[in-house]
Amino acid sequence: FAILYATTQKKKTTVNYAVYSDTGQKIYSKKYSGMVFDGDSQPILYKGRIVWISSTKNKTKLYSIPAAF
């Protein structure tokens, strides 16, 4: 399974992506800067990518990262 979460430091947001095995061991992780993930949308797996939308300041943006591990 995969976990997406965002962290913010000094006004810079980073999306963190982590993949875990069925035994709970982390097998892959990557960080993406310049993206927003606020938990308001439900990410989906589409054609080998994790896709979600985020709405901030009256703008809606589509984000996509490779579903890699």
Side-chain angles (χ1 to χ4, degrees):
F1 63 93
I3 297 174
L4 283 176
Y5 63 97
T7 56
T8 304
Q9 290 182 335
K10 298 180 182 179
K11 297 185 180 184
K12 291 186 180 182
T13 301
T14 301
V15 172
N16 301 274
Y17 170 59
V19 178
Y20 291 82
S21 70
D22 59 350
T23 60
Q25 293 181 334
K26 185 189 290 187
I27 56 175
Y28 180 83
S29 64
K30 186 163 182 174
K31 295 181 180 190
Y32 295 91
S33 61
M35 293 186 166
V36 175
F37 180 73
D38 53 18
D40 286 348
S41 69
Q42 177 65 47
I44 62 169
L45 179 62
Y46 179 72
K47 294 186 178 182
R49 300 187 70 78
I50 297 174
V51 180
W52 72 95
I53 62 168
S54 183
S55 298
T56 56
K57 297 180 183 178
N58 298 325
K59 292 183 182 179
T60 300
K61 188 168 180 180
L62 179 69
Y63 292 97
S64 172
I65 60 173
F69 59 92

